[in-house]
Amino acid sequence: MNVIDLTHTIKEKMPVFPGTNPPKLIPTSSYENDGFKETLLQIYTHTGTHMDPPAHIFADKMTLDQFPVSQFIGKALVIDCRNLKEGEEISMSCIRKYGKKAEQADFLLFHLGWDKRWGTDDYFGDYPCLDETVLDYIISGNYKGIGFDVIGLDPVNDVNLIRHKKLFENSQIVNIENLKNLELCGSDLFWFSCFPLKLENCDGSPVRAVAWFE
């Protein structure tokens, strides 16, 4: 079995969404003093490779802990969008080239190649985002989730979160941001999992996103 980690490591000095603080890993016990190591973790729920549920935007929508655990595992397909320039939109032409495979997937993972900019100011640049036709296609489909190797479903400076609102108002789906290594997944369907922490009334959570091939 070939397993690929699609997750950025959580650490104190890491990229975070503008306006939030990076995580803190505070030692509370040590091998020398206590015979074991333990760490207090202070972290925003939307840090690193993480997942949004509809409750991230709407108070009356589903939280992550309300989804069945089956929501977080299934067949995925990487949609290669690396040919797009900064500021361009992801259109249906990116999806159509995969034919029926796009309809058979539980997760569509959009590969912009932006993870190579992780840790630089360029990561917060004008990355391509879904156009309205693709959003409508996803909403009308039977997908468990979508994912990206950029920091947001919306442009980083869109305070109105237009795409988040449209997606979550009209579908019970999860959105995964800050993926990595999508170029290693090929152009066929593969197994994918992205399990969040099971936090009460959860508006988001870091995930360990993994691809595997039998």
Side-chain angles (χ1 to χ4, degrees):
M1 180 183 294
N2 180 26
V3 181
I4 299 172
D5 193 354
L6 306 178
T7 315
H8 287 287
T9 301
I10 292 176
K11 54 186 178 180
E12 291 194 334
K13 294 182 179 180
M14 65 179 294
V16 294
F17 198 85
T20 62
N21 297 319
K24 294 182 179 180
L25 287 80
I26 305 168
T28 60
S29 301
S30 67
Y31 304 121
E32 296 78 12
N33 295 331
D34 307 288
F36 61 92
K37 181 181 178 181
E38 191 167 13
T39 303
L40 173 63
L41 177 62
Q42 294 183 352
I43 189 171
Y44 280 82
T45 48
H46 297 263
T47 296
T49 306
H50 71 275
M51 177 183 292
D52 306 337
H56 178 41
I57 303 297
F58 297 106
D60 60 344
K61 298 289 187 178
M62 284 185 72
T63 58
L64 279 182
D65 51 308
Q66 291 175 326
F67 278 103
V69 71
S70 58
Q71 184 78 23
F72 313 122
I73 189 170
K75 289 287 188 173
L77 181 69
V78 168
I79 306 298
D80 191 345
C81 306
R82 286 176 290 178
N83 63 315
L84 297 179
K85 298 177 181 178
E86 293 192 18
E88 286 192 87
E89 290 189 317
I90 301 170
S91 68
M92 282 302 300
S93 63
C94 297
I95 296 176
R96 289 192 187 103
K97 60 187 177 183
Y98 294 92
K100 291 293 185 181
K101 288 186 287 188
E103 300 174 7
Q104 296 165 353
D106 299 303
F107 298 87
L108 295 180
L109 308 180
F110 294 89
H111 180 26
L112 285 304
W114 223 257
D115 59 317
K116 305 309 180 220
R117 307 185 187 204
W118 181 259
T120 72
D121 291 339
D122 287 344
Y123 192 70
F124 301 94
D126 194 12
Y127 47 82
C129 295
L130 302 181
D131 71 13
E132 194 157 353
T133 305
V134 175
L135 262 178
D136 289 338
Y137 171 83
I138 292 166
I139 289 167
S140 64
N142 191 32
Y143 296 106
K144 294 182 178 182
I146 56 174
F148 304 85
D149 57 0
V150 299
I151 202 164
L153 171 61
D154 288 287
V156 72
N157 59 354
D158 183 3
V159 296
N160 293 317
L161 301 175
I162 294 170
R163 291 168 178 81
H164 276 85
K165 288 177 180 176
K166 181 170 183 176
L167 179 70
F168 289 139
E169 185 175 22
N170 296 287
S171 60
Q172 299 288 4
I173 196 172
V174 296
N175 172 54
I176 309 151
E177 297 168 342
N178 297 321
L179 291 163
K180 62 179 286 190
N181 293 334
L182 292 178
E183 73 278 2
L184 303 178
C185 297
S187 58
D188 290 320
L189 293 164
F190 57 91
W191 284 106
F192 173 73
S193 64
C194 50
F195 294 106
L197 296 172
K198 194 174 183 180
L199 305 172
E200 186 177 18
N201 297 321
C202 190
D203 59 83
S205 172
V207 299
R208 188 66 178 265
V210 174
W212 73 95
F213 304 82
E214 296 177 324

